């Protein structure tokens, strides 16, 4: 059921969680993947564009940094998708329930009745089905056969062409049942005579719920269908069937939400047990492969913490942060000249507000540093201190990498400062959480010293 969409959404949230920094390239890629997945699931293009715009805006929002930004984007994605799925409407069983099933030909009305009957009789309701589809000769028989298999009582009158007569004939017997589910006739389209017939049945049976049954493969045309039925016969909920056999289910689900026709059940196969109540939040959680939003947030935290920060932290604690690590991190910055990626990786600092101008490290400088590190020997990379002691080494590296000796000195200075700062922080982190004040102090110090 919507496996492709589910996989794509999981990939999207993974990408956000794994990102060191949500830079423009990554955001573009994420939004593009998201758009493709939603459109493939038949979600209305203008809705897709609306969501993409919001996600993009949030992800590129400069004021929010690091992990906070990822949380913000994931939460937004979650909320927007939830919005697409519409409001939750839970069906409560009353003392007396009469449900009228409506829908065009072949949408799954009769099958769904047997599923509902089975579902609620297992949960203690006294259920019967009434066959009022008088237009197709075999319809009544089909209902009876399905019900018999499940030991559900059904009332049919094959050959009778007036549904009112059938209802009146069994009226007293039906009174005995707490949940009465009525099968009605379909047409190729909602026509005047069908509306008339539905109204007559409604008048007699006084349904407590009127459900429109629609197959998921109608896709976005579900919107028109739901709206038309809603306007002419006042449906109280929609049941979407055949969720298992189409990639267009996203279209049908979101289209119902658009016209505020709440989806109450979904059919997920041909068997009697293939029926689920529809809860948008739970459905989305399943699509995203997460228990709930909180779990999703924890995923972001854990990915960032485990994969990126802990490794750096471990190296720091072991005093092993080398120029090579700095280079790896510079590499991961790709073309972005800003330092907040790096800062985001320093434990505890991700949430501190770094003075803005300190973040404006020129792209060129970072590039030159990378060249410089490439021109160093393994020994130099692991012990940058020897560069300071032997000026000839600095000259050699500068020449080899097309940089200046002052570039190299600046690089070593930055490296030492970073190492010192990170290790002092690693110590604090070891002892427990960094408090906001310490964090700000470090951030300020960092910011001042980073100014070049
Ligand atoms: N795969 C699948 N098939 C379904 C589902 N619901 C109904 N069907 C099939 O759809 C066809 C039409 O169903 P039916 O109940 O006769 O539709 P009706 O004309 O609206 O009463 C039958 O072959 C059903 O087995 C579902 O959730 N999944
Ligand atoms: Mg039928």
């Amino acid at each position: 059921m919507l496996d492709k969409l589910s996989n794509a959404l999981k990939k999207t949230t993974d990408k956000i969680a794994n990102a060191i920094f949500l830079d423009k390239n990554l955001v573009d890629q994420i939004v593009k993947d998201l758009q493709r997945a939603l459109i493939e699931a038949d979600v209305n293009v203008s809705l897709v564009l609306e969501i993409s715009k919001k996600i993009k805006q949030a992800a590129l929002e400069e004021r929010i940094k690091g992990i906070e930004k990822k949380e913000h984007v994931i939460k937004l994605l979650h909320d927007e998708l939830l919005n697409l799925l519409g409001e939750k409407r839970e069906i409560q069983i009353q003392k007396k329930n009469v449900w009228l099933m409506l829908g065009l030909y072949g949408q799954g009305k009769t099958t769904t009745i047997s599923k509902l009957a089975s579902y609620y009789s297992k949960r203690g309701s006294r259920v019967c089905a009434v066959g009022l589809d008088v237009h197709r000769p075999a319809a009544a028989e089909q209902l009876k056969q399905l019900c018999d298999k499940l030991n559900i009582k059904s009332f049919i009158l094959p050959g009778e062409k007036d549904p009112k007569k059938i209802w009146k004939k069994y009226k007293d017997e039906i009174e005995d049942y707490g949940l009465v589910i009525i099968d009605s006739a379909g047409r190729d389209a909602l026509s005047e005579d069908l509306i008339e017939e539905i109204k007559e049945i409604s008048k007699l049976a006084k349904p407590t719920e009127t459900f429109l049954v629609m197959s998921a493969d109608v896709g976005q045309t579900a919107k028109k269908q739901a709206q038309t039925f809603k306007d002419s016969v006042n449906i109280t909920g929609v049941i979407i069937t055949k969720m298992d056999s189409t990639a267009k289910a996203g279209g049908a689900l979101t289209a119902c939400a658009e016209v505020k026709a709440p989806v109450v059940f979904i059919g997920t196969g041909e068997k009697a047990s293939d029926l689920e109540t529809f809860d948008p939040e739970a459905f989305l959680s399943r699509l995203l492969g997460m228990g709930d939003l909180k779990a999703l947030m924890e995923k972001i935290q854990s990915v960032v913490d485990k994969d990126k920060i802990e490794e750096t932290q471990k190296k720091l604690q072991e005093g092993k942060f080398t120029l090579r690590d700095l280079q790896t991190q510079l590499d991961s910055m790709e073309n972005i000249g800003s330092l907040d990626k790096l800062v985001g990786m320093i434990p505890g600092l991700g949430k501190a507000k770094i003075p803005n101008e300190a973040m404006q490290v020129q792209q060129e400088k970072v590039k030159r540093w990378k060249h410089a590190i490439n021109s160093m020997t393994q020994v130099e990379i692991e012990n940058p201190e020897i560069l300071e002691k032997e000026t000839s080494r600095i000259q050699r590296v500068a020449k080899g990498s097309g940089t200046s000796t002052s570039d190299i000195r600046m690089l070593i200075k930055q490296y030492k400062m970073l190492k010192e700062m990170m290790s002092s922080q690693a110590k604090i982190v070891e002892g427990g959480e960094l408090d906001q004040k310490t964090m700000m102090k470090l951030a300020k110090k960092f910011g001042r010293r980073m100014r070049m």
Side-chain angles (χ1 to χ4, degrees), residues 97-328:
N97 309 270
V98 179
W99 294 355
L100 174 58
M101 312 295 276
L102 309 177
L104 305 181
Y105 270 146
Q107 299 293 301
K109 285 182 297 299
T110 310
T111 315
T112 303
I113 290 172
S114 66
K115 290 178 181 179
L116 286 169
S118 160
Y119 183 93
Y120 282 100
S121 70
K122 274 184 194 148
R123 284 161 181 78
S125 293
R126 210 168 125 70
V127 192
C128 75
V130 185
L132 300 188
D133 178 357
V134 292
H135 294 280
R136 283 205 307 197
E141 243 344 286
Q142 183 201 358
L143 180 67
K144 185 175 183 328
Q145 273 174 19
L146 286 170
C147 286
D148 284 353
K149 252 197 265 172
L150 299 162
N151 282 323
I152 304 287
K153 175 68 187 171
S154 60
F155 297 101
I156 60 165
L157 199 56
E160 175 55 63
K161 289 287 173 204
D162 183 356
K164 295 190 294 284
K165 281 191 183 154
I166 305 175
W167 180 265
K168 282 175 187 156
K169 178 179 163 63
Y170 294 118
K171 192 169 180 293
D172 292 344
E173 281 179 79
I174 291 170
E175 285 291 328
D176 273 354
Y177 293 84
L179 173 56
V180 181
I181 313 179
I182 304 168
D183 198 6
S184 72
R187 302 283 196 279
D188 286 326
L190 187 66
S191 54
E192 273 308 313
D193 57 334
L194 180 58
I195 293 175
E196 199 44 48
E197 186 177 309
I198 294 166
K199 283 187 172 158
E200 283 182 351
I201 294 175
S202 288
K203 231 188 203 157
L204 273 181
K206 298 187 180 58
T208 53
E209 298 282 355
T210 304
F211 293 138
L212 171 64
V213 179
M214 262 192 308
S215 163
D217 56 26
V218 302
Q220 285 178 39
T221 56
K223 186 172 164 182
K224 188 159 174 278
Q225 225 186 101
Q227 184 72 62
T228 317
F229 271 90
K230 205 179 158 192
D231 292 344
S232 36
V233 293
N234 200 22
I235 51 170
T236 59
V238 178
I239 299 174
I240 303 210
T241 63
K242 308 185 200 178
M243 289 287 295
D244 53 306
S245 50
T246 176
K248 287 167 85 179
L253 285 175
T254 54
C256 290
E258 267 190 279
V259 295
K260 302 216 162 7
V263 176
V264 287
F265 295 99
I266 51 176
T268 57
E270 296 196 60
K271 294 194 306 296
S273 57
D274 294 333
L275 178 83
E276 297 175 19
T277 54
F278 184 71
D279 173 354
E281 180 89 54
F283 187 79
L284 180 61
S285 294
R286 217 161 70 189
L287 277 186
L288 294 174
M290 281 288 146
D292 52 23
L293 185 60
K294 194 164 153 271
L296 211 56
M297 294 301 191
E298 276 164 11
K299 169 173 158 180
I300 295 176
Q301 293 286 356
S302 70
V303 170
V304 173
D305 289 345
K306 275 202 188 83
D307 294 359
K308 309 284 177 219
I309 294 181
E310 272 179 14
E311 193 190 314
T312 310
Q313 205 176 339
K314 195 162 156 261
K315 281 193 164 152
L316 285 169
Q317 280 165 356
E318 291 165 1
K320 279 187 197 153
F321 185 77
T322 69
L323 270 177
R324 179 70 73 204
D325 297 313
L326 180 61
Q327 189 192 29
T328 310

